[in-house]
Amino acid sequence: MSTHNVWTHKGTFLLAAVGSAVGLGNLWRFPYLTGENGGGAFILVYALTIFAVGIPILIAETMLGRTSRRSPIMGMRHLTKTHGTSRAWESIGWLGAASAFLILSFYSVIAGWAIHYTGQMFSGALVGADSETIGAGFDALLASPWLLTGYHTIFIIASALIVGMGIHKGIESGLRIIMPALFAILLLVLFYSIANGDIGAAATFLFTFNIADLSLEGWLQAMGQSFFTLSLGMGAIMAYGAYMSSEASLTRTAVAVAFVDTAVAMVAGLAIFALVFGAGLETGQGPGLMFVTLPLAFAEMPFGALVGGVFFILVLGAAISSSISLIEPVAAFLVERFDLTRPKAVGAVTLGAWLMGLLTVVSFNVWAEGTLFHALFGRSAFDFIELLTNIFMPLGGLLIALFAGWALTQSEVMKELRTSEGWFKTWRFLVRFVAPAAVSFVFLRTIPQVDGYLIPTLGAIVIVGAFAAGRTFLVEGSSR
Ligand code: PHE
């Protein structure tokens, strides 16, 4: 059954995709990963994957959504039938649903930290505080499972309410308010950091490349991040693509999404590191970077409490416009497959992700060390979940690229792309060969190096699985 739901305007998909893409990935994760991985080298790998792999896959994923006009799982089921390919390709949908679940679970916990800091900033509690006080405040937040769970609950319920109201009344109207405000606030914060921070040091840090600075796991993180930041390879874009007007241009939209998303990450990185260097702080702080160094930088600066509060509102707005796109693909599946009402479907998805989120909550306190996860995988549950998504998203993207590149016929693709022969050939070359090769290269190079026993096994299973699926397809496909 097709939902026949289409966004109100031709340009709404762009708005929704940018809303999904711009999020904690840009404001929180990108700066801290860059800081941990030595700056420029990380950005180089990240930017290369965005342009050579990200944009072609973004087009492919939107295309699969728009041609099938169904939620990712049902959409892939439909496409495998109509194209006489192996059902194994449906794994694109299932893998996506799994990633969405995993991401939503920790995303909501981290977004919860921003709720905490919005309050802290506006109340002026941190004005004039020194680094010890602020560091201790952050540690105290992380040490409290109750506080973390409370914020996590608030955030996930807010996201659920928006998605529960439907794609027009909820998602579209929400985004129309949130997105313009975001860009205004981002510019405000940038100007503030130029005036009060050390923008020169920030630029040097971000744009000086020394590839030796990058560890092997850094490569995987950079690639994972480029998928994460574009919301790629897990069905969010496919779900939104299913509602995209047939009139809108796939290529132009994808380039615009990638451009805006990268620009936001760069601006956020510049602003954050300008404040960090201006206040003489450390760059390699890990996940705490935004939450410790920024409040500290704001604590000492004119109007810091106000601008800081506004900044954390920005973070929350960006986070919620992304979390709704994590709920949508799975919720839409439940509606299509089991005829659930939308509110029920959304409730089921968020309840599941909320429960899973408790694993992230306890990773910062009661289960911070010495758990089963540490014994098996050498890391906390949160780190393990993040690692899984770093693998699942590129893997999903790889499968999407292969399916769109090899299973869709030229006339179908041309109908969607409506482009010149030249760009069609380039795009098809990118999704057929370049994207799969790049993803496999990073996988083969990094996954065996990741410490913890089960990771190599997992990597092997995944790669063998991908080849098996590909072979079945090639065999069945060639008989067409
Ligand atoms: N792109 C979002 C961000 O950068 C995260 C996200 C990933 C959202 C996958 C949806 C799907 O924060």
Side-chain angles (χ1 to χ4, degrees):
M1 176 204 70
S2 154
T3 53
H4 288 301
N5 244 329
V6 176
W7 299 116
T8 317
H9 298 284
K10 193 174 144 189
T12 312
F13 172 81
L14 178 62
L15 176 76
V18 168
S20 171
V22 172
L24 293 176
N26 307 61
L27 306 172
W28 161 73
R29 205 171 187 240
F30 171 76
Y32 99 70
L33 286 179
T34 307
E36 277 186 337
N37 287 293
F42 179 84
I43 298 196
L44 188 64
V45 177
Y46 160 87
L48 280 179
T49 22
I50 296 256
F51 286 96
V53 179
I55 292 181
I57 297 184
L58 192 52
I59 295 176
E61 188 170 340
T62 319
M63 191 186 288
L64 293 184
R66 193 165 75 173
T67 43
S68 68
R69 292 245 175 259
R70 287 165 171 80
S71 70
I73 296 175
M74 299 307 274
M76 285 314 299
R77 184 169 298 177
H78 172 74
L79 290 176
T80 58
K81 273 192 204 131
T82 50
H83 290 76
T85 55
S86 156
R87 282 256 333 237
W89 291 102
E90 211 181 295
S91 59
I92 293 178
W94 292 104
L95 198 67
S99 310
F101 235 74
L102 292 172
I103 298 173
L104 181 60
S105 76
F106 72 78
Y107 209 79
S108 168
V109 176
I110 311 286
W113 301 354
I115 302 181
H116 180 77
Y117 277 94
T118 308
Q120 293 272 299
M121 299 305 305
F122 279 132
S123 70
L126 299 177
V127 174
D130 59 9
S131 63
E132 255 145 57
T133 319
I134 291 182
F138 183 64
D139 293 342
L141 170 67
L142 294 196
S144 164
W146 299 113
L147 214 48
L148 293 184
T149 305
Y151 291 129
H152 166 47
T153 312
I154 298 176
F155 182 82
I156 214 162
I157 289 181
S159 314
L161 287 178
I162 298 184
V163 187
M165 287 196 285
I167 70 163
H168 300 295
K169 277 210 201 99
I171 300 182
E172 274 195 56
S173 343
L175 289 172
R176 288 234 161 72
I177 304 170
I178 297 172
M179 298 315 289
L182 278 190
F183 292 110
I185 297 178
L186 188 63
L187 286 184
L188 180 77
V189 172
L190 178 67
F191 289 134
Y192 179 81
S193 72
I194 293 177
N196 295 288
D198 187 346
I199 196 89
T204 312
F205 178 67
L206 291 180
F207 304 120
T208 313
F209 307 116
N210 181 4
I211 207 76
D213 291 343
L214 200 58
S215 67
L216 272 181
E217 199 169 336
W219 281 72
L220 182 62
Q221 285 181 329
M223 183 176 74
Q225 171 64 10
S226 65
F227 279 83
F228 185 84
T229 192
L230 290 179
S231 306
L232 227 51
M234 48 68 59
I237 292 295
M238 214 189 290
Y240 278 179
Y243 312 136
M244 185 187 196
S245 145
S246 317
E247 250 100 83
S249 155
L250 282 183
T251 308
R252 249 181 281 149
T253 310
V255 171
V257 172
F259 180 78
V260 175
D261 186 70
T262 308
V264 171
M266 296 300 156
V267 170
L270 278 172
I272 288 179
F273 286 114
L275 293 173
V276 166
F277 287 121
L281 302 166
E282 287 293 310
T283 54
Q285 302 247 340
L289 178 71
M290 186 176 88
F291 296 99
V292 177
T293 53
L294 279 191
L296 184 55
F298 286 128
E300 294 166 359
M301 288 171 185
F303 306 107
L306 186 64
V307 181
V310 170
F311 177 82
F312 281 105
I313 298 253
L314 163 74
V315 175
L316 279 174
I320 211 158
S321 67
S322 299
S323 64
I324 55 183
S325 75
L326 288 161
I327 302 176
E328 179 63 25
V330 191
F333 165 70
L334 295 180
V335 172
E336 273 172 42
R337 177 70 183 76
F338 301 106
D339 260 334
L340 289 191
T341 61
R342 182 168 259 273
K344 274 210 191 108
V346 169
V349 176
T350 37
L351 182 64
W354 180 83
L355 283 170
M356 174 98 83
L358 299 180
L359 278 178
T360 293
V361 165
V362 294
S363 293
F364 293 104
N365 36 69
V366 286
W367 283 5
E369 51 206 328
T371 68
L372 183 65
F373 281 96
H374 290 84
L376 287 178
F377 312 112
R379 57 196 76 222
S380 68
F382 165 62
D383 288 337
F384 179 67
I385 291 175
E386 237 202 328
L387 178 66
L388 277 187
T389 58
N390 271 339
I391 297 174
F392 283 6
M393 297 184 78
L395 181 67
L398 170 80
L399 296 175
I400 286 170
L402 288 175
F403 190 86
W406 295 95
L408 298 186
T409 62
Q410 170 156 1
S411 63
E412 268 175 308
V413 173
M414 282 308 269
K415 200 173 125 242
E416 289 293 328
L417 269 185
R418 278 181 284 114
T419 179
S420 66
E421 187 84 354
W423 171 234
F424 165 74
K425 288 218 170 103
T426 316
W427 172 81
R428 203 171 60 175
F429 181 73
L430 290 171
V431 289
R432 279 189 166 181
F433 303 106
V434 179
V439 173
S440 314
F441 171 76
V442 177
F443 274 166
L444 291 174
R445 220 172 127 67
T446 55
I447 291 179
Q449 311 289 328
V450 174
D451 45 312
Y453 300 118
L454 284 192
I455 296 303
T457 326
L458 192 78
I461 293 175
V462 151
I463 289 169
V464 170
F467 274 110
R471 239 184 74 88
T472 324
F473 157 67
L474 284 180
V475 172
E476 293 185 14
S478 61
S479 61
R480 267 187 306 154

